[in-house]
Amino acid sequence: MAGLPDPMVPSPLRVQRVRRETYDTFTLELEPANGADGFSFAAGQFNMLYAFGVGEVPISISGDPTKPQTLVHTVRSVGAVTQAICKLKRGDVLGVRGPFGSHWPVEEAAGGDVVIVAGGIGLAPLRPVIYYLLSNREKYGRLALVYGARTLQDLLYNPELEKWRGHFDLAVEVTVDTAAASYRGNVGVVTTLIPRVQFDPLQTAVMVCGPEVMMRFTLRELEARGIGPENIFMSMERNMKCAVGFCGHCQFGPTFICKDGPVFRYDQIQAFFAKREV
Amino acid sequence: MGSSSLDTELAVLERDHLQLLLDILGKRGYRVVGPTVRDRAVVYDDLASVTDLPVGWTDEQDGGIYRLKRRNDGALFGYAVGPDSWKKFLHPPVVRLWRDKTGGNGFQLVEEDEGVPRFAFIGVRPCELHAIAIQDKVLLNGKYRDPSYEARRQGLFVLALNCGHAGGTCFCASMNTGPKATFGFDLALTEVLEADRHYFVVEIGTELGAEILREVPHKAASQAEKATAEGIVAKTAGQMGRRMYTTGIKDLLYRNYESPHWSDVAKLCLTCGNCTMVCPTCFCTTVEDVTDLAGEHAERWRKWDSCFTMDFSYIHGGSVRASPMARYRQWMTHKLATWIDQFGTSGCVGCGRCITWCPVAIDITEEVNAIRRSERGS
């Protein structure tokens, strides 16, 4: 896919498999429609997905970076374009431009503990990190995944969550904002789980993705646990039309989310993150 | 000039020979565009002849005010910039990016391959040379290059014009972008009107400029003619309608990101986006994906966009910059502060268009002053 003359022209990829994650969220497995090479990417990067004739949206890659032959995207159906994407069936074609943007610091985090904090669909851009960490388990200290969703019906990747829970060397904490009184699991916002996680504040990389308000409160909890802003990484979202720094839509203060992000070290955006309507 | 190599000496071109220069550019295959009067404004469009220029016109400009007025001479360039800028040619308002070749399922998209003209720009003001250089940084100097812009930018011929008239909203002298052209031109003219003579002092910027000048009758400029041209530019520099104090402006705006002053200006701002449309450096665009009625063939079009719309910052759940306060703050902070971090230059060239074409006369120079004053607590 790389080496296209024009970064604005999507390549056709064919849908191989569609998996229903929740009532509104689907995972698509894509392969090049024209027999081209696999799709190399780094955990945290995104693609522009084009639903034929409808439009284009930025979507993070949710697959395994060590398996580039299949491109995986998890899409929540919330607007015209994502609705069209979620209706695609095996054999249909989707336009793809990318991969774009910065990535999670999985290599830089080696030697220390890693904590992943995800809210809702924010788990999708972090799943490649989990794949990477688990296949390079010996390089890391303690690993923890803290995941919150609105309800049990909103939890993504249920079969995998259960599998990851089975790992003795990966702490998995899951919570939902609301649940029936009979539910025995954690109920409450994701930040309530952070005090439970064990890590060494001086040697830990935290990777956070979710709604901005969730990230804001997560940062507060992390600060209370003694994690410095230089050890916190977060993935940001803004409107995007081009993904290559031309359209201007994704500006966040002096940064462009598409080319300087979407993954930022917290201290790179700290001055603007606490402000409103940036 | 006589000599064949690039010469720093200035030449003189009589007014009656300017037509020959345009003819030569036309013969060389350029699409010759420049200022002309339409709808009671100076706009940029195709020039067939010198008489298409706004001969004998000048303008009155102030916040929210633009009027063409008659001069009492035959000046060809006796006005300041109008609502158009050269970005309408280099970064057009509407461009098709691609179309699909096959249609339907299994579509194949092909890059837009329509040929673009080679432009010769006539009468580019110094502030506009800076604006073009700024758009070059945005669209050509990053990891990706905009192929549409690059195709139009390549092979551009620039006939610049040193300003002999400062508009009521001009402040290039504050931004160090004028009123004299210092780079980015093939030839630069200074228009001189005397009682019995009308001529241009010509500076050569490139070998191509020298080559084209050689095909037109001209002579070396005398000391007196050079001094006259210098005097015209110096006088213009002293006639700026506005001034902007730029010292520490980036930090000023970063410090005052949450200043209550933004709400004051937001009470006036209609968020119409005029300032972004007339700004020669504003580069933001959106895309529109369209199909034929049968839904079998698709195209993507790129259009100018404005950070003053709600759509601009829309993500699932709503617009990030929902208030006019946030949108005005984004535009002005980008123009004068974040632009410097992004591209190593201010996004403002002091052309004054955003002041003139603002329907409620919001003045960017005055907004900077107001923020400075608010810091001093007065």
Side-chain angles (χ1 to χ4, degrees):
Chain A
M1 242 54 42
L4 267 176
D6 186 338
M8 286 303 286
V9 182
S11 299
L13 269 81
R14 204 169 285 283
V15 177
Q16 297 298 319
R17 222 173 129 199
V18 181
R19 238 184 62 174
R20 190 188 160 106
E21 301 290 352
T22 73
Y23 58 96
D24 67 353
T25 304
F26 297 80
T27 294
L28 286 79
E29 295 183 12
L30 307 161
E31 281 174 18
N34 47 17
D37 292 345
F39 203 100
S40 295
F41 74 99
Q45 287 192 297
F46 70 96
N47 282 316
M48 296 299 286
L49 301 188
Y50 167 62
F52 186 78
V54 183
E56 200 178 45
V57 284
I59 304 282
S60 292
I61 304 171
S62 66
D64 188 339
T66 64
K67 292 175 183 160
Q69 56 277 19
T70 305
L71 174 64
V72 182
H73 281 286
T74 301
V75 182
R76 189 167 156 229
S77 173
V78 290
V81 179
T82 49
Q83 268 169 33
I85 293 172
C86 287
K87 278 182 195 153
L88 293 175
K89 302 274 178 284
R90 180 186 165 86
D92 288 343
V93 173
L94 184 68
V96 179
R97 297 193 287 127
F100 298 115
S102 62
H103 54 83
W104 300 107
V106 286
E107 277 162 32
E108 295 83 339
D113 300 341
V114 179
V115 177
I116 293 166
V117 186
I121 188 84
L123 183 57
L126 283 162
R127 190 167 70 160
V129 175
I130 301 171
Y131 290 138
Y132 185 92
L133 297 178
L134 290 178
S135 57
N136 295 275
R137 184 65 191 86
E138 69 288 352
K139 291 189 196 163
Y140 299 91
R142 280 168 290 199
L143 299 183
L145 166 64
V146 181
Y147 176 41
R150 279 179 301 175
T151 70
L152 287 170
Q153 287 70 46
D154 290 290
L155 288 171
L156 298 180
Y157 313 135
N158 268 300
E160 274 178 311
L161 280 175
E162 282 171 24
K163 205 172 97 190
W164 292 334
R165 265 182 196 279
H167 285 251
F168 293 117
D169 52 3
L170 170 66
V172 177
E173 298 280 357
V174 177
T175 185
V176 292
D177 294 351
T178 54
S182 57
Y183 178 58
R184 300 285 178 229
N186 297 311
V187 178
V189 294
V190 70
T191 47
T192 58
L193 298 179
I194 292 173
R196 295 190 196 173
V197 184
Q198 296 191 354
F199 54 81
D200 174 358
L202 298 177
Q203 290 190 53
T204 298
V206 186
M207 305 182 196
V208 190
C209 187
E212 251 171 74
V213 58
M214 165 264 174
M215 295 205 282
R216 199 164 287 140
F217 283 99
T218 300
L219 291 168
R220 214 178 276 181
E221 287 297 325
L222 292 170
E223 208 180 332
R225 291 286 310 269
I227 302 256
E230 69 285 359
N231 289 325
I232 300 171
F233 301 84
M234 47 211 287
S235 184
M236 295 287 293
E237 183 192 8
R238 279 295 180 274
N239 185 307
M240 247 177 232
K241 298 295 180 192
C242 76
V244 293
F246 297 154
C247 80
H249 281 248
C250 71
Q251 288 177 79
F252 182 77
T255 69
F256 287 81
I257 304 277
C258 70
K259 57 178 190 180
D260 304 317
V263 177
F264 291 95
R265 208 176 62 202
Y266 179 43
D267 57 359
Q268 295 174 310
I269 53 169
Q270 198 168 9
F272 284 88
F273 189 71
K275 300 187 166 75
R276 301 178 69 87
E277 296 193 85
V278 176
Chain B
M1 301 275 299
S3 73
S4 60
S5 66
L6 199 64
D7 205 313
T8 52
E9 279 300 292
L10 301 175
V12 161
L13 174 76
E14 296 298 326
R15 184 256 181 244
D16 291 342
H17 293 142
L18 185 63
Q19 182 64 51
L20 290 174
L21 191 70
L22 301 190
D23 293 344
I24 284 159
L25 290 168
K27 272 189 211 129
R28 283 182 173 236
Y30 287 104
R31 184 179 154 195
V32 180
V33 291
T36 191
V37 173
R38 198 200 303 138
D39 301 332
R40 287 183 283 173
V42 171
V43 299
Y44 296 149
D45 208 339
D46 292 282
L47 297 180
S49 141
V50 165
T51 55
D52 290 339
L53 291 166
V55 184
W57 287 104
T58 189
D59 53 30
E60 177 197 343
Q61 298 198 36
D62 203 343
I65 293 173
Y66 181 89
R67 301 274 182 281
L68 284 190
K69 289 160 58 176
R70 276 284 168 200
R71 293 170 62 100
N72 53 12
D73 60 23
L76 303 182
F77 299 99
Y79 39 84
V81 293
D84 274 357
S85 71
W86 304 97
K87 79 175 179 184
K88 83 175 207 183
F89 301 109
L90 297 175
H91 185 48
V94 182
V95 173
R96 185 167 68 184
L97 292 177
W98 50 254
R99 60 202 162 77
D100 77 300
K101 216 165 45 175
T102 49
N105 203 358
F107 57 85
Q108 286 213 319
L109 308 177
V110 289
E111 194 178 346
E112 183 61 58
D113 52 3
E114 258 176 53
V116 295
R118 268 193 317 143
F119 288 107
F121 289 173
I122 306 302
V124 182
R125 305 304 174 119
C127 61
E128 301 184 303
L129 294 173
H130 281 265
I132 292 169
I134 289 170
Q135 289 216 325
D136 284 353
K137 285 192 180 182
V138 176
L139 299 169
L140 297 178
N141 287 7
K143 180 179 169 196
Y144 299 96
R145 299 165 75 83
D146 177 356
S148 150
Y149 183 81
E150 190 169 26
R152 289 169 172 79
R153 186 72 178 82
Q154 275 168 357
L156 172 67
F157 183 89
V158 175
L159 182 76
L161 189 98
N162 296 319
C163 290
H165 163 83
T169 57
C170 285
F171 56 103
C172 66
S174 299
M175 305 310 288
N176 288 321
T177 56
K180 188 178 189 315
T182 54
F183 70 95
F185 57 83
D186 295 290
L187 293 171
L189 309 181
T190 307
E191 183 174 32
V192 184
L193 288 133
E194 290 170 350
D196 51 354
R197 195 175 161 216
H198 187 176
Y199 64 96
F200 297 96
V201 174
V202 189
E203 188 182 344
I204 297 164
T206 63
E207 185 52 50
L208 176 63
E211 191 183 309
I212 286 180
L213 186 64
R214 248 176 260 133
E215 298 183 38
V216 189
H218 65 279
K219 64 178 180 64
S222 69
Q223 286 305 323
E225 287 161 338
K226 285 184 211 170
T228 304
E230 287 291 320
I232 286 170
V233 172
K235 187 166 144 256
T236 306
Q239 290 176 335
M240 293 287 133
R242 294 289 195 277
R243 188 181 293 184
M244 185 186 276
Y245 294 94
T246 58
T247 309
I249 197 162
K250 185 180 99 175
D251 293 333
L252 175 80
L253 290 171
Y254 280 169
R255 270 201 310 276
N256 287 281
Y257 197 77
E258 291 179 303
S259 161
H261 176 71
W262 296 114
S263 298
D264 298 342
V265 60
K267 281 178 199 149
L268 298 173
C269 178
L270 306 174
T271 66
C272 69
N274 262 17
C275 49
T276 57
M277 297 293 106
V278 296
C279 178
T281 68
C282 271
F283 58 84
C284 289
T285 53
T286 186
V287 292
E288 227 171 79
D289 286 293
V290 296
T291 60
D292 58 0
L293 280 177
E296 282 176 2
H297 288 275
E299 297 180 344
R300 177 171 298 161
W301 292 77
R302 187 182 73 191
K303 299 181 168 181
W304 283 358
D305 202 1
S306 171
C307 53
F308 281 93
T309 71
M310 289 284 272
D311 268 359
F312 191 87
S313 65
Y314 183 85
I315 53 176
H316 168 61
S319 294
V320 173
R321 295 183 206 110
S323 71
M325 182 288 290
R327 282 175 270 153
Y328 187 84
R329 178 178 69 181
Q330 165 62 24
W331 177 73
M332 186 166 141
T333 305
H334 185 213
K335 199 63 47 187
L336 298 174
T338 54
W339 205 301
I340 296 171
D341 277 336
Q342 291 168 351
F343 302 107
T345 171
S346 171
C348 177
V349 297
C351 71
R353 287 180 178 91
C354 59
I355 306 171
T356 298
W357 296 95
C358 175
V360 294
I362 294 172
D363 181 336
I364 191 170
T365 63
E366 184 45 42
E367 293 312 313
V368 171
N369 289 339
I371 288 175
R372 287 193 194 276
R373 278 198 304 272
S374 73
E375 252 194 353
R376 291 196 299 266
S378 58

